[in-house]
Amino acid sequence: MDSEKVVNMVPKMKMNKSFITFGLVIVLLVILALDAFVIVNAGQRGIVLQLGAVRPIVLTEGLHFKIPFVQSVVPMEVRVQKSQSEQTAASKDLQIVTTTVAVNFHLDPIQVNKLYQNVGLSYGERIVDPAIGEAVKAITAQYTAEELISKRSEVSAKIKETLASKLATYYMVLDEINITEFKFSQEFNNAIEQKQIAEQQALKANLDLQRIEIEAKQKVEQAKAEAESLRLQKQEVTSELVQLREIEAKIKAIEKWDGKLPNVTGGAVPFIDVNSGQ
């Protein structure tokens, strides 16, 4: 009886082993199938590594096939990235200037594999930030502190040109650069403030001087006009005009008289010349 059970169990054991083997094969095939495909997301490129070596191909967005266990894919961002930092440099007149710079850049999608091969994923720390600092210092040294403010757009354009050249060496493209702020030492700020006050005072003094000169000219012209008026009046005065003015004065006096003689003591009656008009 026992020998019969053993005989019956042998086929069952073989069958179980076959099922296990088949199951392992299926699992292995599934794993291989899953590892044979890779998806590159939007805004990224895929760097193909074959046994650790960078392949010369770059995978674009979408689904791609790769050799399982032999090839791997490293995604890299090719959309616009931003780097903002404060850079301290010396101006042409040896003023310490702290510049806040915002930089927009992106990786060259076609040559992103070369960037990975030469620099790796830490390109921001290794390349971008040092390049920004070097470009800012090189251009800042060409201008005085006041020129950095008055020629801001020109300074920004030169920094952009210098930085674009440096980033292009490492397969990166500079999109835009913005200088958001210039900071100077407190001593320089005080000097600028004093200069502005002096310029305002000088402007006010100049305006006051112009006002005084204008008022003086106006007085001279007014005096000339009055003198000319008097001269003309003298030319027009004649003996007939004098007599006419005297007659007008006497007529006005008679019109104002109320008919009463003034009260006098011990004197003659005042004489009124009524024939003076003859």
Side-chain angles (χ1 to χ4, degrees):
M1 187 68 179
D2 292 337
S3 59
E4 290 180 359
K5 288 182 179 181
V6 171
V7 172
N8 293 331
M9 290 176 62
V10 171
K12 292 180 179 180
M13 291 177 62
K14 290 182 178 181
M15 186 177 296
N16 289 337
K17 288 181 179 180
S18 298
F19 279 120
I20 292 172
T21 302
F22 179 76
L24 291 174
V25 171
I26 295 297
V27 171
L28 181 60
L29 290 175
V30 171
I31 293 174
L32 289 174
L34 293 176
D35 193 57
F37 295 94
V38 63
I39 296 176
V40 178
N41 295 322
Q44 295 181 339
R45 293 294 184 271
I47 311 302
V48 180
L49 302 180
Q50 185 166 317
L51 299 176
V54 177
R55 297 284 296 163
I57 60 173
V58 176
L59 302 182
T60 58
E61 302 169 2
L63 180 66
H64 299 273
F65 174 80
K66 67 182 183 67
I67 302 175
F69 306 113
V70 175
Q71 293 180 336
S72 60
V73 176
V74 178
M76 291 192 73
E77 188 79 33
V78 295
R79 286 177 288 197
V80 176
Q81 303 179 51
K82 179 180 179 180
S83 176
Q84 180 167 321
S85 60
E86 288 189 351
Q87 304 295 333
T88 301
S91 63
K92 188 176 181 180
D93 53 350
L94 301 181
Q95 295 291 335
I96 301 301
V97 185
T98 301
T99 308
T100 303
V101 185
V103 175
N104 292 333
F105 69 98
H106 68 272
L107 310 184
D108 185 349
I110 299 176
Q111 305 186 83
V112 70
N113 58 328
K114 296 180 181 178
L115 173 61
Y116 180 83
Q117 188 174 32
N118 296 332
V119 181
L121 295 176
S122 56
Y123 50 84
E125 300 173 1
R126 293 184 180 182
I127 304 300
V128 178
D129 293 343
I132 294 174
E134 188 175 347
V136 170
K137 290 178 181 178
I139 302 304
T140 300
Q142 300 177 14
Y143 295 86
T144 64
E146 291 188 30
E147 288 175 340
L148 290 174
I149 300 174
S150 61
K151 300 180 179 180
R152 186 169 186 157
S153 58
E154 179 181 324
V155 173
S156 179
K158 284 193 174 183
I159 293 177
K160 182 177 181 179
E161 181 182 356
T162 303
L163 183 58
S165 177
K166 293 180 179 296
L167 294 183
T169 306
Y170 294 95
Y171 315 104
M172 287 180 275
V173 180
L174 178 62
D175 296 302
E176 192 55 73
I177 179 172
N178 293 297
I179 298 176
T180 58
E181 187 179 12
F182 280 125
K183 293 181 182 178
F184 302 94
S185 64
Q186 188 61 43
E187 293 78 8
F188 179 77
N189 291 333
N190 292 337
I192 290 295
E193 183 179 356
Q194 293 301 320
K195 182 179 179 181
Q196 290 176 343
I197 293 174
E199 289 177 348
Q200 291 174 356
Q201 291 176 344
L203 178 61
K204 182 179 181 300
N206 187 40
L207 292 176
D208 289 341
L209 180 60
Q210 293 178 3
R211 177 179 56 80
I212 293 171
E213 290 178 350
I214 292 173
E215 290 177 352
K217 290 180 180 179
Q218 289 176 343
K219 289 180 179 180
V220 170
E221 294 300 325
Q222 184 178 356
K224 289 181 179 180
E226 291 176 355
E228 182 66 16
S229 177
L230 290 174
R231 186 183 66 82
L232 293 175
Q233 288 180 12
K234 287 180 180 180
Q235 289 179 354
E236 294 176 357
V237 174
T238 62
S239 59
E240 291 80 4
L241 181 61
V242 172
Q243 291 179 2
L244 179 60
R245 293 289 182 263
E246 291 176 353
I247 293 171
E248 289 176 350
K250 290 179 179 181
I251 292 174
K252 288 182 179 179
I254 293 172
E255 290 175 350
K256 293 181 179 179
W257 182 47
D258 57 1
K260 295 180 181 180
L261 294 176
N263 296 325
V264 295
T265 58
V269 176
F271 173 74
I272 299 177
D273 184 7
V274 296
N275 296 321
S276 59
Q278 293 180 353

